[in-house]
Amino acid sequence: MGQKVYINGEYFDKKDAKISVFDHGLLYGDGVFEGIRSYKRLVFKLKEHIDRLYESAHGIMLKINISKDEMTKAVIDTLKLNEMDDAYIRLITTRGIGDLGLDPRKCKDASIIIITDKIQLYPEKLYREGLKLITVPTPRNIPEALNPQIKSMNYLNNILAKIEAINVGYEEALMFTASGYVAECTGDNIFVVKGNSLITPPAYLGILKGITRAAVMDIGKGMGIDVKEEVLTRHNLYTSDECFLTGTAAEIVPVISIEKRVVGTGRPGRITLELMKEFRKLTKKDGVKY
Ligand code: PMP
């Protein structure tokens, strides 16, 4: 059996899994989404992802016409059907089919799409040796215009930053807020270690409140580390002992330099490696079984 994709309560073969060109998700990026992982038939932080999906939807006044329980079941059913032990799950809700105008009132029903697939963002080597980051000119969207806490289908802000990094030979871009504070990377949150403190920017600055970020903060606290959400400047990055990124797809990625300025020893840091180990353990035991 080939891969099946869920669209509005029905399953389609990958090649037939299509949506209308009049869907406002396509026309305007009008929709919200989640990226979720399962490890050995355990879905990691499923409740948190479903909650964030509905919060994002609420943020754009998008009514999802199935309940959170039904959505959870749909995700689990799709994983079971596709017999995937380890998966990357893309859960999407769009404004649905309307006309060529912007007016969301013309879209009667939100579309729901669930794709279960695989993902590997970075090669294995990078997790051992660390990632080199570059900061880019494009600021993260200002929260007053489009709050990055809404995980919207419009990722152009992030894609433009990614292009800037790629253009100068880097894989990942670090974005600042419009006021010049450290925000996040194009698809990951950022942490620094300074002494026995683990510091990450607060969500109110205008970043996605990552679910991996929250998990890592909890792990850190459990290890007796002083975990803080604090505004960070470029200087704080340059003078940090360790730095790493977090995200569902990337998990925890050590950062060893920021625009050629070496972070710490230039190797993945001790606390970073410890957190990576503990995170792996958590993904093996914590999750919704299917
Ligand atoms: N920031 C951005 C912009 C993201 O797109 C993501 C998710 N890929 C993250 C942070 C990390 O969030 P999470 O840990 O919930 O995947």
Side-chain angles (χ1 to χ4, degrees):
M1 187 197 77
Q3 180 187 349
K4 300 279 188 196
V5 177
Y6 172 106
I7 306 177
N8 297 327
E10 286 181 64
Y11 291 101
F12 297 88
D13 287 334
K14 187 175 173 178
K15 67 174 188 353
D16 301 320
K18 294 177 181 155
I19 60 152
S20 165
V21 293
F22 291 96
D23 193 302
H24 280 207
L26 174 72
L27 289 174
Y28 297 114
D30 187 355
V32 293
F33 76 100
E34 281 298 318
I36 312 169
R37 284 283 280 273
S38 76
Y39 299 89
K40 304 258 178 299
R41 295 204 162 230
L42 288 173
V43 190
F44 189 63
K45 304 282 179 198
L46 182 56
K47 182 183 181 304
E48 286 80 352
H49 283 284
I50 299 282
D51 284 347
R52 189 171 67 183
L53 181 81
Y54 279 74
E55 245 181 48
S56 293
H58 192 65
I60 64 164
M61 291 188 78
L62 170 69
K63 176 138 182 43
I64 302 174
N65 54 16
I66 63 172
S67 68
K68 285 187 185 179
D69 283 348
E70 287 165 329
M71 188 68 88
T72 304
K73 186 173 180 308
V75 169
I76 296 289
D77 288 350
T78 308
L79 283 164
K80 277 187 186 158
L81 182 69
N82 284 307
E83 297 177 333
M84 303 213 30
D85 295 346
D86 298 282
Y88 177 79
I89 303 135
R90 176 55 57 91
L91 174 55
I92 309 159
T93 57
T94 79
R95 190 76 64 181
I97 298 168
D99 63 18
L100 291 181
L102 284 177
D103 192 344
R105 292 172 302 185
K106 304 268 178 68
C107 305
K108 289 294 165 236
D109 285 308
S111 302
I112 302 167
I113 302 163
I114 304 168
I115 310 166
T116 52
D117 210 327
K118 297 269 174 204
I119 200 163
Q120 184 174 17
L121 283 196
Y122 300 116
E124 215 23 70
K125 188 167 163 258
L126 216 133
Y127 292 85
R128 288 193 306 272
E129 296 181 1
L131 175 74
K132 293 175 175 153
L133 270 189
I134 186 89
T135 65
V136 294
T138 294
R140 193 73 176 96
N141 278 336
I142 59 167
E144 295 78 6
L146 174 56
N147 198 319
Q149 286 196 55
I150 297 170
K151 198 165 165 62
S152 98
M153 284 175 68
N154 195 318
Y155 253 54
L156 265 181
N157 179 223
N158 315 53
I159 292 165
L160 290 175
K162 184 103 181 168
I163 288 170
E164 287 167 348
I166 293 167
N167 281 350
V168 291
Y170 284 78
E171 278 302 310
E172 185 53 288
L174 175 59
M175 303 174 79
F176 289 83
T177 67
S179 325
Y181 297 116
V182 175
E184 60 180 337
C185 290
T186 63
D188 297 306
N189 292 115
I190 187 160
F191 283 83
V192 297
V193 175
K194 184 76 180 168
N196 192 42
S197 295
L198 182 59
I199 315 163
T200 194
Y204 67 76
L205 276 188
I207 58 164
L208 184 74
K209 215 170 167 183
I211 288 165
T212 319
R213 173 182 176 274
V216 166
M217 287 168 77
D218 283 346
I219 295 171
K221 283 173 197 160
M223 284 163 54
I225 299 170
D226 182 21
V227 180
K228 300 191 268 202
E229 289 175 89
E230 263 178 18
V231 172
L232 294 168
T233 63
R234 193 178 280 274
H235 181 71
N236 296 128
L237 292 177
Y238 293 163
T239 57
S240 65
D241 298 333
E242 301 181 26
C243 178
F244 61 85
L245 311 182
T246 63
T248 295
E251 301 174 321
I252 300 176
V253 187
V255 172
I256 51 166
S257 79
I258 301 168
E259 50 221 3
K260 297 220 155 72
R261 288 173 186 249
V262 173
V263 174
T265 60
R267 311 257 320 136
R270 182 181 59 80
I271 291 179
T272 306
L273 292 171
E274 191 67 24
L275 289 166
M276 287 168 78
K277 204 171 90 195
E278 292 303 315
F279 181 78
R280 291 227 169 94
K281 272 196 218 159
L282 194 65
T283 60
K284 289 201 180 85
K285 65 178 172 67
D286 202 41
V288 177
K289 198 156 177 51
Y290 63 92

